[in-house]
Amino acid sequence: FETTSLTEREGVAVGMKFDIGKVEEVVDDDTGEVLDSSMTKLGTVTVTEVKEKVSYTTPLEGAMKGMGVHPSK
C-alpha cells in the first residue's frame, strides 16, 4: 500500500483512481511561488481506504513510492 495526503477534505473516496508520476514545477526565483507544474505519468493507483488525514492506495500499474499524484482521466 502507498499513502497520500489527499483525503475526504479534498473529496477523495474509495475506488477513485489517480495517475502518479514525476512532477516538475516552474518556480519564480524571487518569490518562490509555483507558477506552473506538469506531471509525466508513470502509473495509476486506486484508493482503497480514506481516513481523516491520509488515504491508502493500491498500485494498478507502474507505481513507486514518492511519486506525485493527480486525478486519473
Side-chain angles (χ1 to χ4, degrees), residues 1-66:
F1 291 103
E2 295 292 324
T3 61
T4 177
S5 60
L6 299 174
T7 64
E8 293 175 330
R9 293 179 281 193
E10 292 82 25
V12 174
V14 171
M16 290 180 77
K17 291 180 173 62
F18 289 88
D19 293 335
I20 56 168
K22 181 179 179 184
V23 177
E24 295 184 30
E25 296 178 334
V26 176
V27 179
D28 183 297
D29 290 334
D30 296 326
T31 65
E33 177 184 6
V34 176
L35 304 174
D36 191 22
S37 67
S38 64
M39 184 185 75
T40 302
K41 180 182 172 184
L42 299 173
T44 306
V45 295
T46 187
V47 177
T48 55
E49 184 177 359
V50 180
K51 295 191 174 187
E52 182 181 350
K53 295 184 180 181
V54 68
S55 293
Y56 294 91
T57 63
T58 298
L60 297 177
E61 59 179 273
M64 294 176 61
K65 188 171 185 153

